[in-house]
Amino acid sequence: MSGGSGSTSQRAGTHLETLAVHGGEPEAGYGGAVVVPVFQSSTYLVGEAGTPDQVRYIRWNNTPNHEVLHRRLALLEGGEDALVTASGMAAISASLLAVLQPGDHLVVQQSLYGGTFEFVWRFLPVWGVRVSWFDPVRPETLQVALEARTRAVLVESISNPLLEIADLPAVVEIARAAGVILMVDNTFATPVNFRPLEHGFDLVLHSCTKYLNGHSDLVAGAAVGSSELISSIRHKLMLLGGCLDPHACFLLERGLKTLVLRVRQQNRTASVVAGYLEKRSEVRRVFHPSRDGWGSPRGKAWFGGYGGMVSFELEGGGETAAKFMAALRIPKDAPSLGGVESLVTRPVITSHSSLKPEERAELGITDGLIRLSLGIEAVEDILADLEQAFAAL
Ligand SMILES: *Cc1c(COP(=O)(O)O)cnc(C)c1O
């Protein structure tokens, strides 16, 4: 880090808990400050040497607030470099546009986050990229989907909203053998539960809006990978303009400090809640990787935990689901996820509303599906709340 702040801290430790708090912070601090302050300045002095790579500007994502985040996220995911962006969709769209050229072919998993689904199926084809899908539960379908012009494969480490974990070892083997760029949206897992770069993935994408920030008070994204890949995405992002505001950088860095504590508690709460729901007669089906028969055992072996999401389907469909959600007192009825407060939503009216009914049916997203994002409240209070909401049906 230039600009008089001295070198990056060498004392940042090696464990995730320590890296989340200190990773990438400047050794000497800024003006003696213990935390990295907000640098609310769009432009910076060029200095005596005056080379183009020393120019700092918010849209270039290279102010001190950006750079501490880049170093910290690279350390947390185990990548050479990282880039923060104005939203998760900015990270996903800029990465795909950096990797793909018109004429290329992209393979994606069948079920994707709603915004990503629309971007790859409605925008990329107009831009001259052909797209195919594969079923991550049957990785042999990936082999079939690959073509000579396939440039990249995009998967989600835990799918949304059905929380499936694919046979990721098979996906990595097939993609490596084909020499394509393997991209993974790791938003639901976080590096606390799964570090894809250690297992052969090339690029990790995040909506930092969710667990990485964890407080439902900003929108941000990130890409982590090799210096070469990140530098090409950085260049694309400078042109597309999806830079992260310094104040949002500051909040994201603060949120990251408690990432490990939050996610471990959310892992525990979600597993307990999934077990509770499975025993209720009002529940037709529970979707959570801790349940037997849900998710690939080979894929799950790469995970240290499954995050704070639980999806379930009630007997009685959409109307019963709406009634149940209205009766809940702790989880707020709102889209998004990964914050300290529990949220509950019906994917059919939020995250997957832009899909056609037949597209949703094919993915198994029914009108009665409820997606619960567990926060860090006491699990006893959550269970009591679910109990009284069932009683109100
Ligand atoms: C929310 C989300 C996104 C999009 O992120 P934004 O920050 O809302 O742009 C992408 N992927 C997944 C898995 C998400 O949950």
Side-chain angles (χ1 to χ4, degrees):
M1 157 85 49
S2 58
S5 55
S7 63
T8 303
S9 176
Q10 298 302 306
R11 296 189 300 265
T14 55
H15 291 80
L16 223 52
E17 295 88 335
T18 316
L19 295 173
V21 180
H22 294 296
E25 69 187 8
E27 181 94 39
Y30 294 99
V34 170
V35 299
V36 179
V38 187
F39 284 76
Q40 201 68 54
S41 179
S42 61
T43 188
Y44 289 74
L45 301 176
V46 168
E48 282 162 30
T51 61
D53 64 354
Q54 284 180 316
V55 172
R56 286 169 186 274
Y57 184 55
I58 290 176
R59 181 164 49 75
W60 290 22
N61 263 296
N62 61 357
T63 75
N65 290 114
H66 294 106
E67 291 189 336
V68 66
L69 277 174
H70 294 162
R71 292 188 296 259
R72 186 164 306 165
L73 288 167
L75 287 164
L76 291 174
E77 283 285 7
E80 280 175 5
D81 201 0
L83 177 69
V84 287
T85 62
S87 66
M89 281 312 299
I92 292 163
S93 56
S95 297
L96 287 168
L97 292 173
V99 161
L100 299 164
Q101 307 257 353
D104 283 346
H105 178 243
L106 170 73
V107 181
V108 297
Q109 83 179 40
Q110 187 180 21
S111 152
L112 285 171
Y113 172 75
T116 312
F117 184 96
E118 258 199 284
F119 184 79
V120 304
W121 289 105
R122 312 228 209 283
F123 176 88
L124 285 181
V126 174
W127 195 59
V129 169
R130 283 173 321 101
V131 184
S132 305
W133 61 267
F134 79 104
D135 178 356
V137 178
R138 295 180 299 129
E140 64 279 9
T141 58
L142 172 57
Q143 190 68 61
V144 176
L146 292 170
E147 296 178 9
R149 286 299 302 264
T150 307
R151 175 90 178 115
V153 171
L154 172 65
V155 299
E156 291 177 1
S157 50
I158 302 179
S159 76
N160 176 29
L162 296 182
L163 311 174
E164 251 173 326
I165 294 176
D167 184 348
L168 296 170
V171 169
V172 169
E173 268 163 48
I174 295 167
R176 292 249 74 88
V180 300
I181 296 172
L182 184 52
M183 307 164 73
V184 56
D185 182 332
N186 203 31
T187 299
F188 276 44
T190 82
V192 178
N193 290 326
F194 177 48
R195 275 180 299 286
L197 299 173
E198 293 173 1
H199 296 284
F201 287 84
D202 298 301
L203 187 69
V204 174
L205 301 165
H206 276 286
S207 168
C208 304
T209 311
K210 317 295 168 55
Y211 290 102
L212 294 194
N213 180 56
H215 291 74
S216 309
D217 54 9
L218 62 79
V219 170
V224 191
S226 67
S227 304
E228 193 187 341
L229 259 178
I230 296 301
S231 114
S232 77
I233 300 165
R234 176 174 289 129
H235 182 70
K236 200 59 85 182
L237 192 77
M238 279 162 69
L239 303 178
L240 295 170
C243 58
L244 190 61
D245 175 79
H247 188 251
C249 288
F250 167 82
L251 289 174
L252 173 55
E253 198 225 327
R254 187 169 73 163
L256 274 175
K257 294 180 190 194
T258 53
L259 173 71
V260 184
L261 292 176
R262 286 185 281 105
V263 170
R264 289 209 179 124
Q265 167 134 351
Q266 286 163 311
N267 286 345
R268 281 194 296 273
T269 301
S271 293
V272 171
V273 167
Y276 165 81
L277 289 170
E278 212 171 53
K279 295 199 194 87
R280 297 294 311 200
S281 59
E282 301 91 334
V283 176
R284 184 177 296 159
R285 192 145 183 218
V286 177
F287 302 94
H288 189 264
S290 67
R291 300 298 96 194
D292 283 344
W294 196 239
S296 144
R298 259 164 47 100
K300 291 200 280 190
W302 278 355
F303 284 66
Y306 303 126
M309 306 296 293
V310 178
S311 293
F312 56 104
E313 227 180 275
L314 291 184
E315 302 284 0
E319 245 171 71
T320 313
K323 198 169 167 204
F324 179 79
M325 281 167 56
L328 288 170
R329 292 173 189 150
I330 295 175
K332 305 267 194 312
D333 182 352
S336 200
L337 59 117
V340 293
E341 61 286 295
S342 293
L343 297 178
V344 64
T345 193
R346 283 169 67 203
V348 68
I349 56 167
T350 55
S351 61
H352 290 70
S353 61
S354 64
L355 275 63
K356 300 177 186 128
E358 58 274 22
E359 288 172 335
R360 278 196 299 265
E362 203 169 320
L363 298 174
I365 300 168
T366 59
D367 287 0
L369 186 73
I370 296 177
R371 193 190 72 180
L372 191 53
S373 168
L374 278 324
I376 60 167
E377 303 95 341
V379 67
E380 295 82 358
D381 288 334
I382 300 279
L383 292 175
D385 193 24
L386 292 167
E387 189 85 22
Q388 66 80 26
F390 279 121
L393 282 181

